[in-house]
Amino acid sequence: MGFPVSYYCPHCGAVVELERDGYLADKSVTPYPLEGWAYADPSDDFEDAEGVRFVCGEVESAREVEDGGAGDGSLSWTGDVVDADDVEQPGVASPCGREFYLSFVRYEDGREVEAVPESDYVVIGGRGPSGPTGPGGPDAGPRGPGGF
């Protein structure tokens, strides 16, 4: 037996209720997917997935619309809005139509899997010198009186 659980869009604050089983443990709701997690649509069998991908304000999945379905009733937008200042677009209208992600707690070998942030490699300044520049030692540079 499922019951409604409320979440809000981290972009605009629109509140959604998802009918789901109580044994699922929530890890986080984020504006981006966690690396390594597999997400299902709210209308799919998400109990076997590692999370749910929402589109803010969207009730049916694209597949259901193509098939002429009317949704399964497991997802509903309440019309409520909570404070959720998006740093990219503060004050964005609600519902905003952007994706956000509910991630469930995952276990591997009896231990909870921690989310690993996506790796970002940054090249600073390109290919620079391989060592310090400047005088090359006691024989470098201008000579003073007497050769010193």
Side-chain angles (χ1 to χ4, degrees):
M1 175 179 195
F3 55 92
V5 180
S6 298
Y7 304 98
Y8 72 90
C9 173
H11 302 289
C12 69
V15 178
V16 63
E17 285 186 349
L18 180 67
E19 182 90 16
R20 54 164 258 204
D21 289 332
Y23 72 88
L24 295 169
D26 296 346
K27 183 168 193 69
S28 61
V29 175
T30 57
Y32 51 85
L34 297 181
E35 189 172 318
W37 262 249
Y39 295 90
D41 285 336
S43 59
D44 292 340
D45 187 18
F46 60 82
E47 284 86 7
D48 294 330
E50 297 165 337
V52 179
R53 180 188 69 84
F54 297 101
V55 177
C56 185
E58 184 178 279
V59 177
E60 299 177 341
S61 71
R63 188 184 77 245
E64 285 181 279
V65 172
E66 289 172 4
D67 294 342
D72 62 1
S74 64
L75 179 75
S76 64
W77 295 89
T78 66
D80 295 331
V81 178
V82 298
D83 290 335
D85 291 329
D86 187 344
V87 294
E88 294 174 8
Q89 297 177 337
V92 68
S94 177
C96 64
R98 295 173 64 189
E99 293 182 349
F100 65 99
Y101 300 84
L102 163 63
S103 302
F104 299 131
V105 174
R106 282 182 30 201
Y107 293 94
E108 288 180 7
D109 299 324
R111 294 191 149 176
E112 183 178 338
V113 176
E114 289 300 321
V116 177
E118 187 173 319
S119 301
D120 257 346
Y121 296 100
V122 178
V123 176
I124 300 175
R127 198 168 162 90
S130 61
T133 59
D139 294 332
R143 302 229 185 265
F148 296 107

